[in-house]
Amino acid sequence: MTEHNQVTVGAAELGDLATRLSPGALTTDPDVIAAHATDEALFCPHEGSIALVRATSAGDVQEVMRFASAHRIPVVPQGARSGISGGANGSPGAILLNVSRMTDVLSINEAERLVTVQPGIINQDLKDHLAPFGLSYPPDPGSVALSSIGGNIATNAGGLCCVKYGVTRDYVRSLQVVLADGTLTTLGPQTAKGVAGLDMRHLFIGSEGTLGIVVEATLRLIPALPDPFTAVATFPDERTGLQTVADFMAAGGVPSILEFLDSSSLKMLNEFGDFGLDADAGSMLIMQVDQNPADSEAVMAKFAEVAESCGALDVAYSDDPADSAALIAARRMIQPAYEKFANAHGGGQLLDDVCLPRTAVPEFCDRLGELRESSGLVISLVAHAGDGNTHPSVFFDASDADQTAKAEGVFAEIMRIGLELGGTITGEHGVGYLKRDWLQHELDEGSRRIQLAVKNALDPLGILNPGKMLSAI
Amino acid sequence: MTEHNQVTVGAAELGDLATRLSPGALTTDPDVIAAHATDEALFCPHEGSIALVRATSAGDVQEVMRFASAHRIPVVPQGARSGISGGANGSPGAILLNVSRMTDVLSINEAERLVTVQPGIINQDLKDHLAPFGLSYPPDPGSVALSSIGGNIATNAGGLCCVKYGVTRDYVRSLQVVLADGTLTTLGPQTAKGVAGLDMRHLFIGSEGTLGIVVEATLRLIPALPDPFTAVATFPDERTGLQTVADFMAAGGVPSILEFLDSSSLKMLNEFGDFGLDADAGSMLIMQVDQNPADSEAVMAKFAEVAESCGALDVAYSDDPADSAALIAARRMIQPAYEKFANAHGGGQLLDDVCLPRTAVPEFCDRLGELRESSGLVISLVAHAGDGNTHPSVFFDASDADQTAKAEGVFAEIMRIGLELGGTITGEHGVGYLKRDWLQHELDEGSRRIQLAVKNALDPLGILNPGKMLSAI
């Protein structure tokens, strides 16, 4: 990485910047800065930022980047700060550049099935806004109610529906971004197809604020999704549940959601609330399909057949939208349930995000079992199983240094096993601070070199979100 | 662009390179070089290449790039040379690096729905290979029977089915590429989701051989597509046909194919062969839907209702796969039909590729009518109308310098109109030589600058396909 040769800026320079921004956008109040210096990640540094700018326009973002380039000081782009890899955490000497006040829906074009939004709009708010138009924006990260579209684009966020509908990338038509020097540029055409030059739009998606800052996004929509059918199957153990996933997908299944919960997760969910789940099952699958009723019935029957042949304890399904909504709501309660468990056991939880070839998940699950035995720690597992995207959580007593160190070791070992089994260290959460030391183990020498070359070409002063993603490769 | 400081290489150096390649891979025979120096584009320079290498392994490609880097000589990556923008045309002093002999299917993974291939395999051959496994690779450029997967990736090829199934980009899981200096690297994980670092895979897709050379691709597959229902509607003029497209899509239609042919195209098709088409219609739509029979029936009825309300002359549809295949085969005969017409009228045809917002296509069509009147030239129009991707063709007497110049002017004016109406100069054919002077008009200053920065970062010697895509921005 290019080392930035930081110039000290003081109150005078920041005061001058403030006059060029929307009124009240900039603050240097240490308490306010501290309150905005972290996302939801644990164990990531976040201190030392010198100012917070709450931008309300692209012009504010441009002014900050011009200032930062002139003074060679780092900028940390932020949205809702709901990420869990520390990508939005503060850095020494940095300006926190927060776009969460830029929440407007700028236009909806029903004929083209497009919506243009500012980056700070919350994913669920966008979905709600679109519903009356009979249009849907599918990407649905677990943080759908908290996370912003700009952050979703910065991390190429996934979610539950990816197994059928894909990830954020698949719905970005064009972006307006502010580059490191403050230049505003449009990436990608407004048209359904377009191959004019290198695809900078796709380069910026998932770049975690290291190449520029999204200030406007035009998103592709699809007709409103039909009400789904939802099946729940319980199994005596994890293997049989995961085998059902592999067999069902190999049989041509096209679910819109296919989620796996292990026995620890089921127990924690049941301790968190009464969702009517079988707390004694060894694992559970939630499967949705959203085709027409006749087709959905047929898929449900196929799923039941596969599950039973794998040894399911019970399979039930429903075409009642209320049942479907309740089941998915229960699934989305998994993180609060984990937190309740963690808080009762010393407060520590490390959430991992290893995506594997679908067929490698059973082996991965066995390896987690070995880690449980060797470490003595509680390790739970939920997975977007249709995609092979697993989320193991390691629980520990955060007040116990030995246990904390052991948990961090287990967290790393989970990534190592993921790579060994042909997977990636991060399926959808991003690298940020949390996994920066691990990225070098996933990428080969050529990839590392060209990633750094691209980063240096677009951010020659190294001021965009330094110390994150590519900083340790 | 970085100017490459070319070092002269002679027979001795090339002979030395030959010894490091697969036997017989390299030739300096001028006739063989000339026979490999063009793709299907008109009016593009193609002369001066010094050698042809027909690679049979990634190792061959690496050796050529090491040699080219050492001697600072240009390399033109080539596949089937079926492109129509001159992107595979020879360059002065260049080695033509052709991968069309690398045609192996390396593996099929039914459980993961993945196939790994060498880049030279022809798209249709891959489809045929997959059929017995009940798997489908959807992207279907017009050149499906001729073009190779490597070329499809290099141009992010589209086709007929994009309106439902997307483009080549949507099916690329991971790539092995050889970089400018000969380094072999893997871009993208083998998993369904993955966000570890900048997405170099998506940067390379559509980069037209200017960043590196794809030597292996792992592609995402979907279950075999069901037999489609196909509707044909004829209209008294172009406007009513195009209005049907806009209204049908606005009503939530999700066709798998939605093609438009104007009256000129219908006449030329009828002069080429007996496809049972109404040669007197003002325009025609071919619409396919591939849902289950009941849903498909309902979509067909909706389409007929919309078409009739727009003033259709006739609407007919069929669930007989033979009828569907015949109609699509007729549509795919449009280029040979154009060639027959062109050959009977002086041989000149310039095929354009302007993609527009779907709702701008009727206005675009009117503007083509004005161009016909002002130029006196025959201008036909076919369009992947569901995507707004138009392919106007300008016909002219290539032996007449004035008419040729006029045709080139009309070709350019079509792109200008496309940009004015919010479109792109190329929806799926790429920039190559043919449109390099036009790219600067589509991209803003910031985009041009970062595209060049990325190109220079990955190809600092400027040896990869120079003089093409980004060479005039």
Side-chain angles (χ1 to χ4, degrees):
Chain A
M1 311 290 302
T2 302
E3 288 297 316
H4 58 87
N5 187 11
Q6 190 171 330
V7 175
T8 306
V9 295
E13 288 86 354
L14 288 172
D16 182 52
L17 172 61
T19 65
R20 281 175 279 128
L21 300 175
S22 301
L26 185 143
T27 178
T28 55
D29 181 326
D31 292 339
V32 180
I33 292 172
H36 286 77
T38 58
D39 61 18
E40 298 289 328
L42 291 182
F43 300 129
C44 294
H46 54 80
E47 291 175 344
S49 298
I50 59 170
L52 166 70
V53 173
R54 283 174 283 208
T56 56
S57 69
D60 284 346
V61 176
Q62 290 182 273
E63 285 293 351
V64 171
M65 293 314 304
R66 287 183 196 124
F67 179 88
S69 284
H71 296 277
R72 302 192 170 215
I73 61 174
V75 171
V76 177
Q78 294 185 329
R81 299 184 294 110
S82 58
I84 46 185
S85 301
N89 278 17
S91 293
I95 298 176
L96 305 176
L97 177 49
N98 193 299
V99 297
S100 62
R101 288 184 176 175
M102 297 174 65
T103 60
D104 289 350
V105 175
L106 300 171
S107 68
I108 294 183
N109 187 330
E110 295 179 71
E112 302 287 339
R113 292 181 196 159
L114 295 176
V115 65
T116 301
V117 298
Q118 291 187 312
I121 189 169
I122 300 299
N123 184 313
Q124 185 63 51
D125 292 347
L126 174 60
K127 286 180 163 58
D128 294 345
H129 194 96
L130 295 170
F133 298 91
L135 292 168
S136 172
Y137 173 72
D140 65 340
S143 59
V144 64
L146 307 171
S147 62
S148 61
I149 293 296
N152 291 173
I153 292 169
T155 57
N156 187 24
L160 277 62
C161 75
C162 307
V163 63
K164 179 170 179 180
Y165 291 103
V167 294
T168 299
R169 178 184 301 287
D170 300 309
Y171 296 89
V172 174
R173 180 60 63 83
S174 79
L175 297 174
Q176 280 198 12
V177 306
V178 174
L179 302 176
D181 68 355
T183 301
L184 181 69
T185 179
T186 301
L187 308 181
Q190 293 277 325
T191 51
K193 294 153 76 177
V195 294
L198 299 174
D199 203 316
M200 293 291 111
R201 161 187 47 179
H202 279 288
L203 177 64
F204 273 68
I205 298 168
S207 63
E208 301 189 20
T210 67
L211 301 182
I213 298 158
V214 174
V215 292
E216 188 178 306
T218 297
L219 305 170
R220 183 174 76 88
L221 307 172
I222 63 174
L225 302 180
D227 285 332
F229 280 42
T230 306
V232 177
T234 50
F235 299 87
D237 53 31
E238 292 159 356
R239 267 268 177 188
T240 46
L242 293 169
Q243 192 59 49
T244 299
V245 173
D247 290 356
F248 176 64
M249 295 300 285
V254 183
S256 53
I257 286 177
L258 183 46
E259 295 291 308
F260 171 88
L261 297 91
D262 75 347
S263 59
S264 300
S265 300
L266 287 171
K267 285 189 176 62
M268 293 180 201
L269 263 182
N270 270 287
E271 284 163 20
F272 183 71
D274 181 7
F275 303 105
L277 304 177
D278 178 1
D280 297 324
S283 70
M284 188 173 87
L285 293 177
I286 303 173
M287 193 279 280
Q288 281 196 347
V289 61
D290 61 1
Q291 302 170 23
N292 78 350
D295 288 354
S296 292
E297 282 278 1
V299 177
M300 287 288 155
K302 181 71 191 174
F303 177 75
E305 178 194 324
V306 171
E308 280 158 11
S309 76
C310 287
L313 301 171
D314 188 50
V315 188
Y317 63 88
S318 170
D319 61 356
D320 181 343
D323 290 346
S324 292
L327 271 163
I328 297 305
R331 165 63 185 81
R332 288 194 187 279
M333 284 297 113
I334 194 71
Q335 186 50 36
Y338 283 169
E339 280 169 24
K340 181 182 176 188
F341 177 87
N343 289 337
H345 294 83
Q349 181 210 347
L350 277 167
L351 175 62
D352 221 323
D353 174 40
V354 169
C355 192
L356 297 145
R358 203 158 47 224
T359 47
V361 177
E363 164 78 7
F364 179 75
C365 196
D366 288 350
R367 302 286 286 276
L368 289 183
E370 292 167 15
L371 276 179
R372 271 185 208 104
E373 287 202 15
S374 61
S375 70
L377 296 176
V378 174
I379 306 173
S380 64
L381 177 65
V382 290
H384 311 308
D387 282 322
N389 191 180
T390 71
H391 293 309
S393 280
V394 185
F395 297 90
F396 57 98
D397 183 347
S399 67
D400 179 331
D402 285 351
Q403 208 176 85
T404 300
K406 190 188 282 185
E408 292 189 279
V410 168
F411 180 74
E413 180 65 8
I414 288 172
M415 287 187 277
R416 199 196 59 71
I417 293 169
L419 290 177
E420 185 185 319
L421 296 178
T424 171
I425 60 168
T426 177
E428 56 184 5
H429 292 171
V431 176
Y433 268 130
L434 192 67
K435 298 189 169 182
R436 64 178 183 165
D437 291 330
W438 273 85
L439 187 57
Q440 62 189 301
H441 300 296
E442 173 154 347
L443 304 177
D444 63 27
E445 186 277 332
S447 285
R448 293 198 301 275
R449 180 153 44 87
I450 60 175
Q451 297 216 8
L452 290 174
V454 167
K455 163 69 175 171
N456 287 334
L458 268 58
D459 179 21
L461 302 176
I463 59 175
L464 276 165
N465 221 2
K468 315 278 175 72
M469 196 163 68
L470 303 182
S471 61
I473 64 172
Chain B
M1 310 292 302
T2 303
E3 289 296 317
H4 56 86
N5 188 10
Q6 189 171 331
V7 175
T8 306
V9 295
E13 289 86 353
L14 290 170
D16 183 52
L17 172 60
T19 64
R20 280 175 281 129
L21 301 175
S22 301
L26 186 143
T27 177
T28 54
D29 181 326
D31 293 338
V32 179
I33 292 171
H36 286 77
T38 60
D39 61 17
E40 297 291 327
L42 291 181
F43 300 128
C44 293
H46 53 80
E47 291 176 342
S49 298
I50 60 170
L52 165 70
V53 173
R54 283 174 282 209
T56 56
S57 70
D60 284 345
V61 175
Q62 290 182 273
E63 286 292 350
V64 170
M65 292 315 303
R66 287 182 197 124
F67 180 87
S69 284
H71 295 278
R72 301 193 169 213
I73 59 174
V75 171
V76 177
Q78 295 185 328
R81 298 184 296 109
S82 58
I84 49 186
S85 300
N89 277 17
S91 293
I95 297 176
L96 305 175
L97 177 49
N98 192 299
V99 297
S100 62
R101 288 184 176 173
M102 295 174 67
T103 59
D104 288 351
V105 175
L106 299 170
S107 67
I108 293 184
N109 186 329
E110 294 178 71
E112 302 287 340
R113 294 183 196 157
L114 295 175
V115 64
T116 300
V117 297
Q118 291 186 313
I121 189 170
I122 300 299
N123 183 312
Q124 184 63 52
D125 291 347
L126 173 60
K127 286 179 162 60
D128 294 344
H129 194 96
L130 295 170
F133 297 91
L135 292 168
S136 173
Y137 173 71
D140 64 342
S143 58
V144 63
L146 307 170
S147 62
S148 62
I149 292 296
N152 291 172
I153 293 168
T155 57
N156 187 25
L160 277 61
C161 75
C162 308
V163 64
K164 179 169 180 180
Y165 292 102
V167 295
T168 299
R169 178 183 301 287
D170 300 310
Y171 296 89
V172 174
R173 181 59 65 81
S174 78
L175 297 174
Q176 281 199 11
V177 305
V178 174
L179 302 175
D181 69 353
T183 301
L184 181 69
T185 179
T186 301
L187 309 180
Q190 293 279 326
T191 51
K193 292 153 77 177
V195 293
L198 299 175
D199 202 316
M200 294 290 111
R201 162 187 47 177
H202 279 288
L203 178 63
F204 273 68
I205 298 167
S207 63
E208 301 189 20
T210 67
L211 301 182
I213 299 158
V214 174
V215 293
E216 190 177 305
T218 297
L219 306 169
R220 183 174 77 87
L221 307 173
I222 63 175
L225 302 179
D227 285 331
F229 280 40
T230 305
V232 177
T234 51
F235 299 87
D237 53 30
E238 292 159 356
R239 268 267 176 188
T240 46
L242 293 169
Q243 193 58 49
T244 298
V245 172
D247 291 357
F248 176 64
M249 295 301 286
V254 183
S256 53
I257 285 177
L258 182 46
E259 295 291 307
F260 171 87
L261 298 91
D262 75 347
S263 58
S264 300
S265 300
L266 287 171
K267 284 189 180 59
M268 293 180 202
L269 264 182
N270 269 286
E271 284 164 18
F272 183 70
D274 181 8
F275 302 107
L277 306 177
D278 178 359
D280 297 324
S283 71
M284 188 172 90
L285 293 176
I286 303 173
M287 194 278 280
Q288 280 195 348
V289 58
D290 61 1
Q291 301 170 25
N292 79 348
D295 288 354
S296 293
E297 283 277 1
V299 177
M300 287 288 153
K302 181 71 191 171
F303 177 75
E305 178 194 323
V306 171
E308 280 158 10
S309 76
C310 288
L313 300 172
D314 188 51
V315 187
Y317 63 87
S318 170
D319 61 356
D320 181 342
D323 290 345
S324 293
L327 271 164
I328 297 305
R331 165 62 185 82
R332 288 195 188 278
M333 284 297 113
I334 193 70
Q335 186 50 37
Y338 283 170
E339 280 170 24
K340 181 183 176 190
F341 177 86
N343 289 337
H345 295 81
Q349 182 210 347
L350 277 167
L351 176 63
D352 222 323
D353 175 40
V354 169
C355 193
L356 296 146
R358 203 160 42 223
T359 47
V361 177
E363 164 77 6
F364 179 74
C365 197
D366 288 350
R367 302 286 287 274
L368 289 184
E370 293 167 15
L371 276 180
R372 271 184 209 105
E373 286 202 16
S374 62
S375 71
L377 295 176
V378 173
I379 306 173
S380 65
L381 178 65
V382 290
H384 310 309
D387 282 322
N389 193 179
T390 71
H391 293 309
S393 280
V394 185
F395 296 90
F396 58 99
D397 182 347
S399 67
D400 179 332
D402 286 350
Q403 207 175 85
T404 300
K406 189 188 282 183
E408 291 187 279
V410 168
F411 181 74
E413 180 64 8
I414 288 172
M415 286 187 277
R416 200 196 59 71
I417 294 170
L419 291 176
E420 185 185 319
L421 297 177
T424 171
I425 60 168
T426 177
E428 58 184 3
H429 293 170
V431 175
Y433 268 129
L434 192 67
K435 299 190 169 182
R436 64 177 184 166
D437 291 330
W438 272 86
L439 189 58
Q440 61 187 302
H441 301 296
E442 174 154 347
L443 304 176
D444 62 27
E445 187 277 331
S447 285
R448 293 198 300 274
R449 181 154 43 88
I450 61 175
Q451 295 217 8
L452 290 174
V454 168
K455 164 69 176 172
N456 288 333
L458 268 59
D459 179 21
L461 302 177
I463 58 175
L464 276 165
N465 222 2
K468 315 278 175 74
M469 195 162 69
L470 301 182
S471 61
I473 65 170

